[in-house]
Amino acid sequence: MQSSDIATQSAVTGRAPSASNPWRAVFSVALTASGFCASEFLPVGLLRYISAGLNVTEGVAGVMVTAPGILAALVAPALTVAIGSRDRRAVLLTLGLLLVLSNLLAMLAPNFATLILGRVLFGIGLGGFWAIGAGLGGRLVKEKSAGRATSIVFAGASIGMLVGGSAGALVGDLVGWRAAFGGALALSVLSLAAEFIYLPSLLVEQRIRARDLLELTRTPNGRVGLLAMLLVLAGQFATYTYITPFLSKVSGFDGKAISSALLGYTLIGMLGNFAGGAGAGRNVKSTLAATMLFFLLPVALLPSAGISQPLVLALLAVWGIAYGAMPVSLQMWMVKAAPRSSEGAMALFIANFQVSIALGSFVGGVMVDALGLSNAMYAGSAVGLVGLVLFALLARNVKAVA
């Protein structure tokens, strides 16, 4: 997840009591976002090592991405309603503890079933964290600093993606996948300690009702946005989940080169984040459609370009920019589609995002095991194309979110 001032619109109602240094609280939430994102994307870089180490196919290993996505999708809207007026500090600490336990189980897992149990705990924590944490940074500081605080939280998320994808793959190549989960465990313990020390009590003035979650589905732009998002992100994760086996087996990159390629993908994606925000500030529909187009084109070309390493890297760069811009553009579209219930829209957005991850990684795994890595790329780009066509034909142009 990446955002900026959009998430401030979905913050929990009310502001936190003043603290001696509220920015420490903001950075503790950002550190937790790093921990969750690193743990979420860690299996992508480690997939082939875990597959070999626990004697499962790469398609089956992809369940490590699918299972948390399903649970996070269920937990995000449910928790938003269920926690009512409970102190958000206590909720966040509980979710942080789940993150610690999930990484501990993954690191020590004697078999694949135990590893999946750890990922189940992770999925619960992930959905809960983003449901209440996405807009929390802006509530911890004075109103005039809300945008900056929210940007810091999502910068933490971007750094977590960087650590989980490229750095995780490098650690897995050098010292093994268990050590990579050990690093994620250390990060999650550090983030839990930071929140315990620096987060103030976070009481609420107004609770979200179940019907607020469905506000987004009552508008034409909300419905088409959710459908296009589901299709395009499913295509994204049907392909990106299996990018390390593709780079290894089809393109012939070694472990260090793969980790470097993933590092570049994530870094250029961070630039795409800013480009997407700037573009969507001028025209949300055109920017969002462009991110979809420049996702599916390089993915569709990768199978035929796979033997040319320079061309593969160039296509990955285009893909990285497009995906970096996509979440910001999507969030701006959703908030504009349901301006009266932005917090409910955020919960549904997160649920749909995680369903897309789960569906994409599952379908991609089936394709990889049945038809091979290249056909998974073709299938992912085809699904993305359907989403782009539907969005281009059915979405109504709107003014950008200010």
Side-chain angles (χ1 to χ4, degrees), residues 331-342:
Q331 288 186 57
M332 293 180 78
W333 181 268
M334 299 302 180
V335 170
K336 188 65 179 178
R340 293 179 298 176
S341 183
S342 56

Side-chain angles (χ1 to χ4, degrees), residues 39 97-107 118-119 121-122:
S39 299
L97 182 59
L98 284 180
L99 177 61
V100 170
L101 292 175
S102 70
N103 283 321
L104 179 62
L105 276 175
M107 182 183 70
R119 298 301 288 175
L121 295 179
F122 169 74

Side-chain angles (χ1 to χ4, degrees), residues 10 18-19 48 51 63 74 95 99 156 158 203 212 216 227 230 277-279 294 312 334 359 388 393:
S10 58
S18 60
R48 61 197 179 106
S51 171
V63 174
L74 296 172
L95 297 170
L99 177 61
S158 296
L203 303 177
D212 293 330
L216 191 59
L227 179 58
L230 177 67
F294 287 104
V312 166
M334 299 302 180
L359 179 63
L388 171 59
L393 293 177

Side-chain angles (χ1 to χ4, degrees), residues 40-383:
E40 181 174 14
F41 288 94
L42 200 58
V44 174
L46 301 175
L47 199 68
R48 61 197 179 106
Y49 303 113
I50 295 172
S51 171
L54 296 180
N55 298 314
V56 296
T57 69
E58 289 169 348
V60 170
V63 174
M64 292 184 296
V65 181
T66 305
I70 293 172
L71 282 163
L74 296 172
V75 168
L79 186 72
T80 302
V81 175
I83 58 176
S85 57
R86 289 181 178 85
D87 188 340
R88 271 32 176 182
R89 178 181 186 272
V91 176
L92 284 171
L93 290 176
T94 301
L95 297 170
L97 182 59
L98 284 180
L99 177 61
V100 170
L101 292 175
S102 70
N103 283 321
L104 179 62
L105 276 175
M107 182 183 70
L108 301 177
N111 50 50
F112 191 65
T114 305
L115 179 56
I116 290 300
L117 175 60
R119 298 301 288 175
V120 166
L121 295 179
F122 169 74
I124 295 171
L126 177 69
F129 174 77
W130 284 118
I132 64 174
L136 195 59
R139 189 182 169 215
L140 292 167
V141 297
K142 294 180 179 180
E143 191 170 356
K144 65 179 181 179
S145 301
R148 179 186 172 198
T150 303
S151 296
I152 289 172
V153 171
F154 281 93
S158 296
I159 292 170
M161 291 176 64
L162 181 67
V163 171
S166 54
L170 179 61
V171 172
D173 182 62
L174 293 176
V175 292
W177 63 268
R178 293 184 188 275
F181 275 108
L185 173 62
L187 178 59
S188 57
V189 169
L190 180 63
S191 66
L192 179 61
E195 286 193 328
F196 182 80
I197 295 171
Y198 296 120
L199 268 185
S201 178
L202 295 164
L203 303 177
V204 299
E205 298 172 2
Q206 179 181 339
R207 59 182 299 169
I208 296 298
R209 301 161 297 180
R211 64 176 178 268
D212 293 330
L213 300 173
L214 300 178
E215 181 66 25
L216 191 59
T217 66
R218 298 189 181 105
T219 67
N221 274 349
R223 291 191 295 270
V224 71
L226 287 170
L227 179 58
M229 173 186 175
L230 177 67
L231 292 169
V232 175
L233 289 180
Q236 156 74 18
F237 288 99
T239 51
Y240 184 67
T241 302
Y242 304 96
I243 191 62
T244 54
F246 180 89
L247 294 175
S248 174
K249 295 180 179 180
V250 178
S251 301
F253 288 101
D254 61 22
K256 293 182 178 62
I258 290 173
S259 64
S260 297
L262 293 178
L263 173 63
Y265 176 94
T266 307
L267 286 174
I268 203 166
M270 293 174 71
L271 295 177
N273 178 268
F274 294 106
R282 293 188 292 270
N283 190 311
V284 182
K285 181 180 178 181
S286 295
T287 300
L288 184 50
T291 68
M292 296 177 184
L293 176 64
F294 287 104
F295 147 68
L296 66 92
L297 283 179
V299 174
L301 292 172
L302 273 173
S304 59
I307 59 173
S308 171
Q309 292 186 347
L311 185 53
V312 166
L313 293 176
L315 291 173
L316 280 177
V318 176
W319 184 1
I321 291 174
Y323 181 65
M326 192 180 298
V328 176
S329 303
L330 279 169
Q331 288 186 57
M332 293 180 78
W333 181 268
M334 299 302 180
V335 170
K336 188 65 179 178
R340 293 179 298 176
S341 183
S342 56
E343 188 176 31
M346 178 63 74
L348 193 57
F349 172 89
I350 293 164
N352 197 40
F353 201 104
Q354 296 301 327
V355 167
S356 304
I357 293 175
L359 179 63
S361 59
F362 174 76
V363 171
V366 172
M367 292 292 295
V368 166
D369 284 348
L371 300 174
L373 290 162
S374 292
N375 284 315
M377 294 288 173
Y378 287 131
S381 60
V383 171

